[in-house]
Amino acid sequence: LVTLNPALEVDLTGQVNAEQSGAAYMGGTGGQVDFVRAGARSPGGASLMVLAATAKGGAISKIVPALNGPVTTARTEVDVVVTEFGAAELKGQPLAERTRRLIAVAHPDFREELSRAAHAIQTRGF
């Protein structure tokens, strides 16, 4: 079983917000966590979180240092994050490696900024 789940934003540790954008409530959790778990635990399966790398015509990154909304899916449940720049396999990875992989699938215009934020986060501790 391979599941595809939408995300509004993903933070540098792999937490997913699929519910709220700014003040706008976009939807509830529904069955996202159930589908994430089913895909990730299915023999030969996978759970894919899919999102565009940017929003507002490329003005903002959807890979972010910290979520701007609620955590819909915890980082411990996230298997693979996919943008138009590739797939970041997060399952079983330590936080520093998750961060590197997520920056690699962020829009190139935001990678340097995300790398600086990641360094600050790693310095103070996740």
Side-chain angles (χ1 to χ4, degrees):
L1 175 66
V2 176
T3 62
L4 300 174
N5 296 282
L8 295 172
E9 60 182 355
V10 177
D11 78 8
L12 289 174
T13 68
Q15 297 183 119
V16 174
N17 168 13
E19 300 173 57
Q20 187 175 347
S21 178
Y25 183 72
M26 307 302 282
T29 60
Q32 185 174 80
V33 175
D34 294 330
F35 278 96
V36 167
R37 289 176 179 163
R41 292 180 175 104
S42 175
S47 173
L48 309 177
M49 285 292 174
V50 296
L51 70 162
T54 63
K56 296 192 177 188
I60 61 170
S61 178
K62 292 177 77 176
I63 306 288
V64 296
L67 295 181
N68 296 302
V71 176
T72 306
T73 304
R75 64 181 172 230
T76 55
E77 301 287 347
V78 175
D79 192 5
V80 181
V81 173
V82 179
T83 73
E84 64 271 34
F85 296 99
E89 295 183 31
L90 304 182
K91 186 176 184 177
Q93 298 301 315
L95 292 174
E97 182 60 24
R98 288 169 156 263
T99 298
R100 283 189 286 279
R101 291 179 181 202
L102 286 164
I103 291 169
V105 300
H107 190 285
D109 291 349
F110 295 97
R111 290 179 187 167
E112 184 177 333
E113 177 185 334
L114 289 168
S115 292
R116 284 194 303 271
H119 177 73
I121 292 167
Q122 290 171 1
T123 299
R124 74 168 189 260
F126 287 99

